[in-house]
Structure formats: structure tokens, C-alpha cells
Amino acid sequence: MGDNLFYGNIPVGIGNLVNLSLLGFEGNNLSGSFPEVIGKLNKLEGLELNANKFSGFIPSSVGNLTVLSRLLMEENRFEGSIPSSLGNCKKLQVLNLSSNNLNGTIPKEVVSLSSLSISLVMSHNSLTGSLPPEVGKLTNLVELDVSYNRLSGEIPSSLDSCISLERLYLGNNSFKGRIPVSLKSLRGLAELDLSCNNLSGKVPQFFSKLLSLRHLNLSYNELDGEISREGIFANASAISIVGNDKLCGGIQKLQLPECSRKNPRKRLSLKIVIPVTVSVPIFILLLAALVIYHIVKTSRRQSAPPSNEWQSGLSYLKISNATDNFSEENLIGSGSFGSVYKGTLADGETAAIKVLKLQQQGALKSFIDECNALTSIRHRNILKIVSSCSSVDYEGNDFKALVFEFMRNGNLDQWLHPSTDEYCHFKKLSLMQRLNIVIDVASALDYLHNQYDTPIAHCDLKSSNVLLDEGMIAHVGDFGLAKFLFEESNTPSKNQTMSNGLKGSVGYIPPEYINGHVSILGDIYSYGILLLEIFTGKRPTDDMFKDDLSIHKFVLMALPSHVMDVLDLSMLLEEENDHEKHEEEDLFPDIESQVAQKKLEECLVSVMRIGVMCSAASPRDRVGMKFVVNNLQAIRSKIRMREE
């Protein structure tokens, strides 16, 4: 009965079909809990409940299905721990529990099932603890996938017994220690993913000897040392090693630094010692002269107007060298007016370099506007500009670039909507992380609208223009469309608008911008949409938002009693790595208790109401950013407050 439009619960009468050998409900809209009566169907060989909306715990009665060979329960909402009674299913060949809300440890009884010969998949859950050493009993298993969990400890060396493994996925966990040498026994291994863990030590040379290996992902660990040039390491498209800053060597396409070679110490002859001894004092005198010259030149430059300082920024050559001649490997983003590259400056600092597409109409104006907006702005939640470049390239064409602080955690859009090929650090954001981000963005807008000498409208606020630093602090960037708002009398006005064409990005553009009117109230609308996107996990341009339904209306209709139905509930399951995690846990020690649940829902309703008010269709109905900051901070304090 798979792939239909069935909804509701599985009737308990299903337990009367005692001679059933296959039960398939996959790909429907069925909900409710797993019926324990299915445990009576002890002749079942196949049970397929995947791709539905089942919830609750997996009952231990599933262990009664002793002749079961295929159990598919992925893409549901099952929670709680994996029942150890599954170890009674001694004929199980395929087990898939992925993409649920399961937690707790992996039962050793499950990874001891030597019958598992096709696949064991438990990815995209919240499983904790270690991978049990009993996994070595899976000698006939072809695929093992426990990625995207919270597993820790070392990778068990007993995996060397799993000689039939072709696909091993351990990425996006917290495994530590060295990559076990025992993996060299897996001669048939074709795909290995160890990315996004805390693995350390050298990259084993034996990987180059595994002739079947066609994909190796070691990215985002703490590996060091030299990379081989042989075997799979000779194919840059077959391996991924980014995020390991201490690696060196390898083929040229990997763009790793050369490994340092320690030469044996040799005795220096007098032919070398004497010239060096004589030349050192001369060198010191020259160096002192250069320092004095530099001080004088710097003092003169500092007395020049700020505009001249910007014109004397980095050269085209330095920008080209910093980005490795604008290589695709360093390209981290692209927009209407420019492309953004990751670059390493001469002082060793990493920067984000925005290279303008001057052939694009409006790009030059965008460059000037962004320079004007950012040269004097100083706020912890606004992206800091480091330098600029106004020069010509090697062919004599005009070249302009802006150099910004590098944000190590990318942009917010990547965290909310990661693509399948993006790496581990784009994990689900927790409730407190999302709340901190919306407060950071609101603080930046409050500064631009109310605290800066002349009010500034950003005009293009969206998730991809919110950057996150190493500490997950949000910074608003991309001021290419920003506008200073003046009255004709040159007196700043917070409500002054100017007509200058349609501004912003689809989904975030306020209704009044159709007429070309730019104002801080438009920023407030875009902020409201952004807040709703952050807490629902849905883009404002999602396919579900069509005809008369928008993300604003979607949330408005759910308030207040159905707020939990529109939220991205993964934020409540995501473990935080800082002290805020413990504070939140202290407030809600039993999240399923009615009191704690009600308190949490009240806070979330308050947050969503702010998003709805900010994104009101009529500008006069929107609230100011000072109101937003004060109220969101109060909500955060309420969540942090300890229960007495």
C-alpha cells in the first residue's frame, strides 16, 4: 500500500493478519505511534514504514519479528532509544532507522547481528556514546552509515573484521583520536566518509593502497602531516581534505603548502662567516633608514583625507596573489555585482575579498555606496571592512575590490538550508543560537536606523547577507544597496524615503518598494521575514508559499495555539556546545512536562509575534528595531533564568 495518500493511524486490527509476510506502508502520510500489535505478525519478512509521519517510541515488541529480513523506518519522527530487542531479529539483512529523532546509545545487540549483510543505516539522528566494538561482528555488511549523529570516542579498530564493507560513513559526529590502522584490511572499501569529526594525527598512507577506494572524505578534522601523491590521492576530485589546516604536500591541485624539510646542520666555512659578519651591520643600518622613512611616510598619509587612504589600498597584484589568481577553489560566493573570494593577505591574515563585476550595470555605484556606508560604521554586528582596491588589471581594465573580515562560519543561509554536498559545520542551529542571531541582526539595524549620525537603510537584508564568525556572532554584510536617508534640509530623518528603483531580494522585498520608496521601515519588513525564516526553517520563496499563502500568513494563522506546528523543531533537539546549553537544560529539565513545555511555547509565541509584527504589509503597523531588541533580549533572559 506504499506511495499513496493514506493518512491517520494504522488500525490495531492489523494484528489479526498473522500470516502476513510483507507489510508495506511506505511513502504515505500516516502518523501516530508504532502499533505494538505488529509484534504479533511473527511471519513478517519485510516491514516498510519509511517516509511517513510516525512518532513516539519504537516498541520492544519489534523483537518478536524473528524472521524479519528487511526493516525500513527512515524519514519519520520516531523518538527515544533504539530497542535492544532488535537483536532478536537474527535474519535481518537490511535495517534503516535514519532521519528520525532517535537518541541514546547504539545497542550492542543491534551491531552484533551477523545476518546484516546489505546495509545498516542510522544516520541523521541524535545518537550518543561510542560506536560499540561489537560492530566487528558485521563481517558480511556492505554499507554502514551512522553519520550526522553525536557519537564520540575513538573509531573502533574491530572494523577490520568487516571485510565486506564497501561504504562506510562516520562523518558529522565527534569521533576523536587517530584513524585506526586496522581500516587497511577493508580491501573492498569504495567510499569512506570520516569528515566533520575531531580526528587527529597523520593521514594513513595505506589509503593509497586501497585500489577499490573511489571517494575519500577527511574534511574538517584536525589531521596533520604530509599527504601522499599516490593512489586515490592522485585524483583531487576523489578526495576532500579541506578544514585540516596542518596538512601539507600532495598534488598541486590540492593547493596545500609545501612540507618543511629539516636539513642536517653543516659547519660554516670562513668564506661564508666573514662576509656575513661584515654585511650584518650594514644591513642593520639600511633597515633603520627604511624604518625612519616608513614612519615619516605613514605620518603624512595619516594626515591625508580618508578618501585618499581608501584610494591607496591593496594593489591588483596583491589581490590576485591573495586569491591564487581568483581560483575557483577560493570562490565562496557570487552575487549580482560581484564575486567573493577567500584570500590570504601578505601578513598571513585570512580575508573575504569582494571583486566587483564592473561590466554589470550598477556595480560601480554599488562599490561607491558600500565604501561610503562602511568607512565610518563601527558595530560588533556589522561586517568590518579592512581595505579596498581601486586599480587596473594586467590588461588595463578597471578593477575594484573590497576586503572584509573573514567569517569562518559562512553565512546564515548555509546553516538554515545546507545543500547535500556542503560540509559538516552547517549543522542545525539550536534555539539559543537562533535567538542570539536575531538579536545580533536587530542590534545592527537599530544602530543603522537610530544610533548612527545619518540613518542608513540596508535595503537588502536576507539570510545570505548575515555572516557568522567563529563564535557564531552574527554580522550584517553587503551594503551595496544601502542608502543614507536625508531630508532636503540636510537634517537626518528616520522616516525619509527616496525613490530610486526596486531594491532588495525576492521574498524579502517590502510591498511599498514596488513604487521605489526606500526607508528603514523596509528594513524592518525584511527583518521580520528573516526572523520567521530562522525559526520555521523555511525560505520565504519555498514552493509551499504560493497563491495567497506567504511565510507571514503561514505563521500568523498558527499563532498562538499551533506555534509548534510551524517551527523547525530540530532546534529543540540540537545540542549546544557552550554554557547556554546548560542554562537551557536547567530551565527545562523535563522538556516533556506540561509546565516546561508551556513555558517554552510562550517564549516561542512571543518571538514569532515579533516576526509577524515586523513583516506587516502596512509600514505603519511595523514596530521599530529598538522595540525588537528590547523584547527579544527580555525573552532570552526569560529562557536563561533559573527555576527557583
Side-chain angles (χ1 to χ4, degrees):
M1 291 181 281
D3 297 311
N4 283 288
L5 299 175
F6 294 128
Y7 61 91
N9 301 343
I10 295 179
V12 293
I14 200 83
N16 296 326
L17 306 179
V18 292
N19 291 318
L20 208 59
S21 62
L22 171 64
L23 180 57
F25 281 117
E26 74 281 2
N28 283 288
N29 288 311
L30 295 169
S31 56
S33 59
F34 185 108
E36 291 212 34
V37 293
I38 289 182
K40 296 180 180 180
L41 308 181
N42 52 23
K43 293 185 179 180
L44 273 184
E45 297 176 11
L47 177 58
E48 301 174 4
L49 304 177
N50 48 304
N52 279 284
K53 297 178 180 177
F54 291 116
S55 59
F57 298 96
I58 301 175
S60 59
S61 62
V62 71
N64 297 337
L65 309 178
T66 54
V67 298
L68 200 64
S69 64
R70 188 169 66 260
L71 177 57
L72 306 179
M73 304 179 72
E74 72 269 20
E75 296 181 42
N76 281 288
R77 299 172 183 173
F78 289 115
E79 58 190 48
S81 57
I82 300 172
S84 58
S85 60
L86 273 171
N88 298 328
C89 303
K90 302 295 186 182
K91 296 188 177 181
L92 205 57
Q93 297 178 15
V94 180
L95 175 60
N96 195 329
L97 302 174
S98 64
S99 299
N100 281 287
N101 298 322
L102 298 172
N103 54 38
T105 58
I106 298 176
K108 62 181 180 181
E109 292 84 358
V110 174
V111 292
S112 297
L113 282 171
S114 57
S115 60
L116 285 168
S117 56
I118 299 177
S119 67
L120 172 59
V121 182
M122 295 179 282
S123 61
H124 292 87
N125 281 290
S126 297
L127 300 173
T128 55
S130 62
L131 182 60
E134 286 79 6
V135 71
K137 296 182 179 180
L138 302 177
T139 55
N140 300 311
L141 190 65
V142 172
E143 178 184 35
L144 174 62
D145 186 355
V146 293
S147 59
Y148 290 92
N149 278 288
R150 300 173 187 172
L151 300 175
S152 56
E154 297 189 354
I155 297 174
S157 58
S158 58
L159 279 169
D160 63 349
S161 300
C162 304
I163 55 175
S164 299
L165 270 181
E166 296 179 10
R167 297 180 296 278
L168 176 58
Y169 307 111
L170 305 179
N172 289 270
N173 282 287
S174 297
F175 289 117
K176 64 180 181 179
R178 296 179 177 271
I179 299 173
V181 179
S182 58
L183 292 183
K184 68 181 181 181
S185 301
L186 307 182
R187 297 293 182 183
L189 202 60
E191 298 182 13
L192 176 61
D193 187 351
L194 302 177
S195 64
C196 307
N197 282 289
N198 300 316
L199 300 173
S200 57
K202 310 295 182 186
V203 175
Q205 295 290 323
F206 66 75
F207 284 142
S208 62
K209 307 297 183 184
L210 297 179
L211 302 181
S212 299
L213 195 59
R214 61 173 183 266
H215 179 71
L216 174 63
N217 192 346
L218 304 175
S219 57
Y220 295 101
N221 279 287
E222 298 171 9
L223 301 170
D224 58 59
E226 185 171 5
I227 291 291
S228 171
R229 298 171 181 264
E230 300 177 354
I232 192 170
F233 296 107
N235 184 357
S237 62
I239 64 172
S240 180
I241 54 173
V242 296
N244 294 281
D245 298 333
K246 297 179 181 179
L247 292 178
C248 63
I251 61 174
Q252 187 174 3
K253 284 187 177 180
L254 296 178
Q255 296 186 325
L256 294 174
E258 290 293 325
C259 297
S260 60
R261 307 293 181 189
K262 294 184 178 179
N263 295 322
R265 299 177 68 179
K266 297 179 179 179
R267 297 190 63 157
L268 296 175
S269 67
L270 290 176
K271 291 182 180 180
I272 298 175
V273 173
I274 293 174
V276 169
T277 305
V278 172
S279 61
V280 166
I282 298 173
F283 174 76
I284 292 173
L285 288 173
L286 288 173
L287 183 62
L290 285 172
V291 170
I292 294 171
Y293 172 76
H294 177 73
I295 292 172
V296 172
K297 187 177 180 181
T298 301
S299 63
R300 289 177 180 174
R301 184 186 303 161
Q302 288 175 343
S303 64
S307 58
N308 292 338
E309 182 181 342
W310 279 93
Q311 292 300 322
S312 60
L314 297 174
S315 66
Y316 174 82
L317 176 61
K318 290 180 179 178
I319 296 289
S320 179
N321 290 339
T323 60
D324 192 20
N325 198 25
F326 311 104
S327 67
E328 278 194 37
E329 288 79 3
N330 286 325
L331 182 66
I332 56 177
S334 184
S336 302
F337 296 142
S339 299
V340 182
Y341 295 87
K342 180 181 178 180
T344 304
L345 303 180
D347 60 2
E349 287 295 314
T350 303
I353 302 174
K354 181 178 180 179
V355 178
L356 276 295
K357 301 175 183 176
L358 293 179
Q359 69 276 14
Q360 182 73 28
Q361 186 176 2
L364 180 58
K365 186 177 186 304
S366 170
F367 172 80
I368 296 170
D369 288 346
E370 194 155 13
C371 282
N372 289 337
L374 290 174
T375 50
S376 56
I377 288 176
R378 292 293 181 269
H379 191 275
R380 73 186 291 268
N381 299 124
I382 294 177
L383 188 63
K384 181 182 178 182
I385 191 167
V386 175
S387 185
S388 67
C389 175
S390 183
S391 182
V392 293
D393 62 18
Y394 295 140
E395 297 177 357
N397 300 314
D398 284 343
F399 177 84
K400 296 189 185 298
L402 295 169
V403 183
F404 298 94
E405 283 184 302
F406 182 70
M407 297 286 109
R408 297 196 177 276
N409 275 315
N411 66 60
L412 180 59
D413 184 81
Q414 295 169 309
W415 286 82
L416 295 175
H417 319 288
S419 61
T420 53
D421 59 343
E422 282 181 320
Y423 294 103
C424 64
H425 60 285
F426 302 130
K427 294 180 179 178
K428 289 294 184 181
L429 296 167
S430 68
L431 167 61
M432 191 60 71
Q433 285 175 321
R434 296 180 201 224
L435 192 53
N436 287 336
I437 289 169
V438 294
I439 291 174
D440 287 344
V441 176
S443 299
L445 291 181
D446 180 42
Y447 171 82
L448 295 173
H449 295 174
N450 305 312
Q451 299 174 35
Y452 193 65
D453 293 339
T454 302
I456 298 177
H458 183 278
C459 297
D460 196 18
L461 186 65
K462 56 183 176 180
S463 56
S464 59
N465 285 342
V466 176
L467 293 307
L468 300 169
D469 67 15
E470 196 168 10
M472 294 301 286
I473 296 172
H475 302 253
V476 176
D478 198 343
F479 280 73
L481 297 179
K483 293 295 174 189
F484 288 88
L485 303 180
F486 302 95
E487 287 185 339
E488 290 184 2
S489 62
N490 292 326
T491 303
S493 169
K494 297 174 185 177
N495 299 314
Q496 176 68 30
T497 63
M498 58 175 64
S499 179
N500 195 24
L502 189 62
K503 303 291 182 184
S505 299
V506 175
Y508 303 87
I509 303 174
E512 67 270 19
Y513 275 24
I514 293 176
N515 299 320
H517 295 295
V518 173
S519 74
I520 61 175
L521 295 175
D523 278 358
I524 294 171
Y525 176 90
S526 301
Y527 174 83
I529 297 296
L530 176 65
L531 185 149
L532 299 181
E533 177 184 7
I534 289 171
F535 281 88
T536 63
K538 298 184 182 297
R539 297 183 191 272
T541 55
D542 192 281
D543 290 340
M544 72 175 292
F545 302 131
K546 55 187 177 182
D547 300 326
D548 192 38
L549 184 64
S550 64
I551 191 171
H552 170 90
K553 191 172 183 179
F554 173 67
V555 175
L556 180 62
M557 291 189 301
L559 294 178
S561 54
H562 295 285
V563 67
M564 303 301 284
D565 295 335
V566 299
L567 288 174
D568 181 1
L569 295 179
S570 68
M571 74 175 93
L572 304 179
L573 301 172
E574 201 59 36
E575 180 181 10
E576 296 184 35
N577 296 322
D578 57 14
H579 68 282
E580 289 169 348
K581 167 181 178 280
H582 303 294
E583 291 172 350
E584 188 174 346
E585 286 178 346
D586 289 341
L587 180 60
F588 305 121
D590 180 11
I591 197 63
E592 293 182 5
S593 71
Q594 292 184 357
V595 175
Q597 181 75 14
K598 184 177 180 181
K599 187 175 292 187
L600 177 60
E601 287 186 21
E602 287 174 355
C603 291
L604 291 169
V605 167
S606 299
V607 171
M608 301 303 268
R609 282 195 194 280
I610 291 174
V612 167
M613 287 189 290
C614 288
S615 58
S618 174
R620 69 171 64 93
D621 294 333
R622 299 171 197 159
V623 294
M625 295 315 299
K626 192 172 295 295
F627 170 90
V628 173
V629 172
N630 291 339
N631 279 269
L632 287 176
Q633 286 177 341
I635 293 168
R636 181 171 63 182
S637 296
K638 186 176 180 181
I639 291 179
R640 285 176 167 176
M641 185 175 56
R642 307 270 183 184
E643 277 190 330
E644 296 182 0

